[in-house]
């Protein structure tokens, strides 16, 4: 409750200062809008510099974050509450952090308080606050016209590779002021190669689900279906799982994938479940099997994975 109350108090002031190109943990933004924005940029520019931050949450320096928060928060009582929340998570991710030395560090640098617990509501919000100065640096000082960020994943777009190389050097220097570093290997490349971002691979003209994401869901679906057949899991849970997945992947060109994944699962329902959920199909006999497409309530809604969308 304390985390929710704190965010309700301080979020409006910070939200007004966030750039439009930041999409994580914000009302009216989110994963799918970030993907849409990314795809629009792939159609406008030829090259992209795609980056992600190394050990982001374990690396967040408490002193640097408090300095950022104090620029917006004037009430010392709220600042004390923020400091108390930070202190409560001190060292929680120390085993996941590999020490990085920055210019001017002394022998006490490894003892600096750092790290935010990933699951806390304030951690998600403070991650945006922490990187907000970096966002403004990209937009105002680098004058990058094509930019998108989701938590610690971000991309800069341009029609010139040399410009992106120059920007990368500037990014490294600016991030060092936040005591953050980039993962090695980031380099400019054509947008036509496709950008792996938020579970999809995005091209200018299409968007595909990452293969491992589809494989992971199919394995999970098979386990859940087996549990339903054994009477250990209600069919409604299987329905919910399928609908949630379909609602997510339908934001890509995945019609063929959805049909293939759902069509490969054959569900053998026990008699009590068949009587309750049967739609008059081939579930009328003991031991009958059916494709793993959930019953629909209300009945006029299309089955997940079978709606008429653009195929791959």
């Amino acid at each position: 409750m304390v985390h929710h109350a704190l965010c309700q108090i301080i979020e409006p002031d910070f939200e007004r200062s966030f750039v439009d190109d930041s999409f994580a943990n914000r009302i009216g933004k989110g994963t799918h809008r970030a993907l849409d924005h990314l795809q629009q940029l792939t159609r406008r520019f030829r090259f992209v510099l795609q980056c992600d931050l190394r050990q982001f949450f374990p690396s967040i320096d408490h002193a640097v974050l408090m300095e950022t928060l104090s620029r917006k928060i004037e009430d010392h009582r709220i600042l004390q509450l923020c400091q108390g929340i930070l202190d409560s998570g001190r060292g929680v991710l120390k085993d996941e952090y590999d020490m990085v030395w920055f210019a001017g560090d002394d022998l006490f640098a490894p003892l600096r308080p750092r790290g935010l617990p990933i699951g806390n509501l304030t951690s998600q919000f403070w991650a945006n606050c922490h990187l907000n100065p970096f966002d403004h640096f990209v937009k105002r000082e680098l004058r990058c016209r094509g930019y998108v960020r989701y938590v610690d994943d971000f991309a800069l777009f341009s029609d010139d590779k040399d410009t992106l190389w120059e920007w990368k050097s500037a990014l490294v220097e600016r991030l060092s002021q936040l005591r953050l570093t980039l993962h090695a290997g980031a380099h400019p490349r054509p947008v036509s190669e496709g950008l792996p971002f938020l579970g999809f691979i995005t091209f200018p003209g299409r968007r595909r689900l990452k293969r491992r994401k589809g494989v992971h869901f199919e394995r999970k679906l098979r386990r859940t279906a087996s549990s339903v057949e054994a009477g250990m899991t209600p069919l409604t849970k299987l329905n919910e799982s399928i609908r949630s997945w379909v609602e997510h992947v339908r934001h890509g060109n995945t019609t063929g994938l959805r049909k293939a994944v759902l069509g490969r699962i054959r569900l053998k329902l026990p008699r009590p479940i068949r009587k309750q959920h049967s739609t008059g199909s081939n579930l009328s006999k003991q031991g009958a099997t059916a494709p793993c497409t959930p019953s629909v309530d209300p009945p006029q809604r299309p089955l997940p994975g079978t709606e008429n969308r653009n195929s791959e």
Side-chain angles (χ1 to χ4, degrees):
M1 292 179 61
V2 173
H3 292 257
H4 281 272
L6 177 61
C7 286
Q8 289 179 359
I9 294 173
I10 66 176
E11 184 174 2
D13 288 338
F14 281 96
E15 177 64 32
R16 285 191 289 269
S17 70
F18 291 161
V19 301
D20 290 338
D21 308 285
S22 170
F23 288 85
N25 308 301
R26 298 178 63 190
I27 297 175
K29 298 287 187 176
T31 302
H32 300 134
R33 293 200 175 186
L35 286 165
D36 291 340
H37 183 59
L38 180 84
Q39 190 161 42
Q40 291 171 4
L41 294 176
T42 63
R43 295 167 179 169
R44 290 174 50 196
F45 299 95
R46 296 172 55 203
F47 302 103
V48 61
L49 174 64
Q50 191 172 4
C51 308
D52 67 310
L53 298 176
R54 178 177 173 271
Q55 299 176 336
F56 176 55
F57 281 97
S59 298
I60 293 179
D61 189 272
H62 291 188
V64 176
L65 175 58
M66 282 301 300
E67 181 181 352
T68 300
L69 296 178
S70 63
R71 294 172 189 161
K72 288 285 185 182
I73 302 173
E74 298 180 355
D75 193 323
H76 72 278
R77 295 169 299 178
I78 297 179
L79 286 174
Q80 287 178 348
L81 178 58
C82 293
Q83 185 66 64
I85 293 175
L86 283 176
D87 290 341
S88 68
R90 180 174 179 174
V92 67
L93 299 177
K94 62 180 181 180
D95 293 335
E96 301 180 28
Y97 177 74
D98 297 323
M99 180 61 194
V100 177
W101 297 88
F102 296 93
D105 279 352
D106 55 27
L107 294 178
F108 295 100
L111 303 180
R112 294 177 66 101
R114 59 175 63 86
L116 292 182
I118 298 177
N120 287 353
L121 176 63
T122 48
S123 297
Q124 304 297 321
F125 172 63
W126 284 343
N128 277 339
C129 299
H130 193 55
L131 288 177
N132 189 42
F134 174 76
D135 293 335
H136 284 280
F137 168 78
V138 172
K139 299 294 292 183
R140 294 181 179 181
E141 298 190 34
L142 297 186
R143 298 186 180 276
C144 176
R145 295 184 295 113
Y147 178 61
V148 58
R149 182 177 66 79
Y150 194 93
V151 192
D152 58 338
D153 294 321
F154 58 93
L156 287 75
F157 292 80
S158 175
D159 287 322
D160 181 60
K161 269 189 175 183
D162 292 336
T163 297
L164 291 176
W165 279 116
E166 293 174 4
W167 285 352
K168 181 183 177 181
S169 299
L171 295 179
V172 171
E173 182 177 352
R174 183 64 181 87
L175 286 170
S176 68
Q177 299 175 25
L178 299 176
R179 302 188 67 84
L180 297 172
T181 56
L182 292 177
H183 263 121
H187 62 279
R189 55 194 182 87
V191 298
S192 58
E193 293 181 358
L195 280 65
F197 191 68
L198 300 179
F200 289 84
I201 300 178
T202 299
F203 299 84
R206 65 191 186 279
R207 188 185 302 163
R208 293 180 175 176
L209 187 72
K210 283 186 177 180
R211 183 181 181 277
R212 62 181 179 87
K213 296 290 185 180
V215 171
H216 173 76
F217 174 76
E218 185 169 356
R219 290 173 178 170
K220 176 184 175 182
L221 185 61
R222 289 183 184 277
R223 290 194 299 268
T224 306
S226 297
S227 183
V228 170
E229 291 176 342
M232 300 173 61
T233 301
L235 185 60
T236 53
K237 183 175 181 179
L238 181 65
N239 271 323
E240 292 169 0
S241 178
I242 292 175
R243 292 191 185 283
S244 175
W245 181 72
V246 169
E247 178 62 24
H248 173 59
V249 301
R250 72 179 182 84
H251 290 271
N253 303 102
T254 59
T255 300
L257 173 66
R258 282 176 272 156
K259 289 181 177 180
V261 169
L262 298 180
R264 284 195 290 265
I265 306 297
R266 310 295 294 187
L267 187 61
K268 187 176 182 179
L269 300 179
R271 181 181 294 276
I273 298 181
R274 294 205 312 276
K275 286 183 178 180
Q276 180 180 356
H277 294 278
S278 173
T279 58
S281 60
N282 56 341
L283 298 180
S284 58
K285 296 182 180 180
Q286 179 88 25
T289 60
C292 187
T293 50
S295 59
V296 181
D297 186 18
Q300 65 269 20
R301 292 176 61 190
L303 295 177
T306 60
E307 56 267 54
N308 183 20
R309 297 182 183 277
N310 294 331
S311 65
E312 293 179 332

